[in-house]
Amino acid sequence: EYKEIATPSRTKEILKKHGFSFKKSLGQNFLTEPNILRKIVETAGIDTHTNVVEVGPGIGALTEQLAKNAAQVLAFEIDDRLIPVLEETMSPYQNVTVVHNDVLKADLVGTTKEVFKEERPIKVVANLPYYITTPIMMHFLESDLDVQEMIVMMQKEVADRISAKPGTKAYGSLSIAVQYFMEASIAFIVPKTVFIPQPNVDSAIIKLTKRDKPAVEVTNEKEFFKLTKASFQLRRKTLWNNLIHYYGKDDETKAWLTQSLSEAEIDPSRRGETLSLEEFGRLSNTLEKNR
Ligand code: SAM
């Protein structure tokens, strides 16, 4: 009788056979609940027309479910000790390619071109290593890889920040960096009890869907992201304080900021966390025009 990798008994068997010990420094918390994995695959809408990129397959719990549904799966795993384990656990699945590499150092466009036999919509599905959730998200968003959807598990607290709306406590430059490119929503919460070892916090599955075009039209993307980061540097200070802290306190800079804020019709005494993407876009474009 075949037991899925994610069942607690099979997971323990695999770990024991290979003498595997978890490395906290690599964010290794393995999922041991097949129902949650199925729910992830369902949420992601994976079918035989989809190619999937996975980050951190571990012993292959999620990879197996993806392989059963997707056209092809490409998985990046950093831990060399897991490569022989995956070779064994993934042997029934011809459509899985494991690449032994740090995903942050991987050439995503090149590797996907090499591995995927046919050009199909690409989805990123992963139970992310929590210590580098944000860098991984940014690595995908900033790459030229055309990712249609990302369905990823992360700490609930980070998922809250990514999907936050203006005016809420969780809203910040990360919300904007992601929501500029993708529509973000939390699909469901995952309790910490379904992992071994158990993490300290609950997790959430976040679903990001690529927008046809960015959420706002900006004339200079780099400067737009600099502005949004600058606006949240000093959390309890006004937008004005944040802007002069970042751009400079000299008269010329202050005049440029005052003029641009006024033209963009944004009150400098507001706080960064109250500005919508649209307002940040308007302010950024006005600043660029008046530079
Ligand atoms: N997918 C498995 C599961 O759901 O049970 C394991 C998820 S575990 C939270 C994170 C995985 O990411 C681990 O296998 C870890 O070794 C791997 N990992 C950590 N840092 C990585 C990196 N920079 N690049 C690729 N994989 C990484």
Side-chain angles (χ1 to χ4, degrees), residues 52 89 119 208 246:
V52 176
T89 58
E119 221 175 288
L208 306 175
Y246 178 75

Side-chain angles (χ1 to χ4, degrees), residues 26-31 54 56-58 77-78 102-103 127 131-132:
L26 289 179
Q28 292 179 337
N29 302 95
F30 294 173
L31 253 171
E54 191 194 1
E77 176 54 62
I78 196 172
D102 177 347
V103 69
N127 171 15
Y131 73 108
I132 43 165

Side-chain angles (χ1 to χ4, degrees), residues 196-212:
I196 54 166
Q198 262 192 45
N200 297 321
V201 292
D202 286 336
S203 301
I205 298 286
I206 198 161
K207 181 169 179 170
L208 306 175
T209 311
K210 187 171 184 175
R211 300 180 189 275
D212 295 332

Side-chain angles (χ1 to χ4, degrees), residues 38 41 46-50 64-71 95:
R38 272 190 284 274
V41 173
I46 304 295
D47 57 28
T48 52
H49 302 290
T50 315
E64 174 176 62
Q65 304 298 331
L66 294 168
K68 282 183 188 166
N69 292 278
N95 58 346

